[in-house]
Amino acid sequence: GSGSSSSSAEPPLFPDIVELNVGGQVYVTRRCTVVSVPDSLLWRMFTQQQPQELARDSKGRFFLDRDGFLFRYILDYLRDLQLVLPDYFPERSRLQREAEYFELPELVR
């Protein structure tokens, strides 16, 4: 076909803005944010795999079966590579477990 610049052999790429459903909580962020820590789980998911290989929810959002409440701190960390927690934060050990799952060694420390 003339005038068609897209090739059917090329795999679909991830959008610049990604919608994540983490344990029922929806997060919308930039792809560059989720891949900001090389070799982390999210980095591998969004650079080494194709979009169609990842789990999706019924609305087409990328689905992660993790704690949706704690993921906000994971995402915060990915934005500027610093962790800021509220003064009273009783779930440090659970957040540490999430950091281990997402393979973020600096955050685990």
Side-chain angles (χ1 to χ4, degrees):
S2 63
S4 171
S5 62
S6 69
S7 153
S8 59
E10 281 184 33
L13 298 172
F14 286 101
D16 188 38
I17 305 294
V18 292
E19 290 186 50
L20 304 171
N21 173 345
V22 185
Q25 296 280 333
V26 175
Y27 293 90
V28 180
T29 187
R30 297 180 70 93
R31 181 182 164 274
C32 59
T33 300
V34 293
V35 299
S36 62
V37 176
D39 298 322
S40 67
L41 177 70
L42 289 169
W43 180 87
R44 283 205 314 277
M45 284 175 66
F46 288 91
T47 61
Q48 307 303 108
Q49 292 178 268
Q50 304 303 327
Q52 69 272 21
E53 294 173 346
L54 301 180
R56 305 280 190 123
D57 69 6
S58 60
K59 301 250 195 306
R61 296 177 288 234
F62 296 106
F63 180 74
L64 294 157
D65 190 14
R66 301 303 294 178
D67 187 312
F69 170 74
L70 291 174
F71 188 74
R72 65 183 283 201
Y73 299 106
I74 301 287
L75 194 55
D76 246 12
Y77 172 77
L78 292 173
R79 287 185 176 122
D80 49 20
L81 301 183
Q82 292 188 339
L83 179 64
V84 179
L85 292 176
D87 290 338
Y88 176 70
F89 187 76
E91 304 196 76
R92 280 180 196 274
S93 59
R94 289 184 61 213
L95 180 57
Q96 190 169 20
R97 196 171 69 219
E98 294 298 294
E100 287 167 2
Y101 174 83
F102 287 107
E103 298 170 36
L104 298 165
E106 291 299 315
L107 183 55
V108 171
R109 279 187 216 117

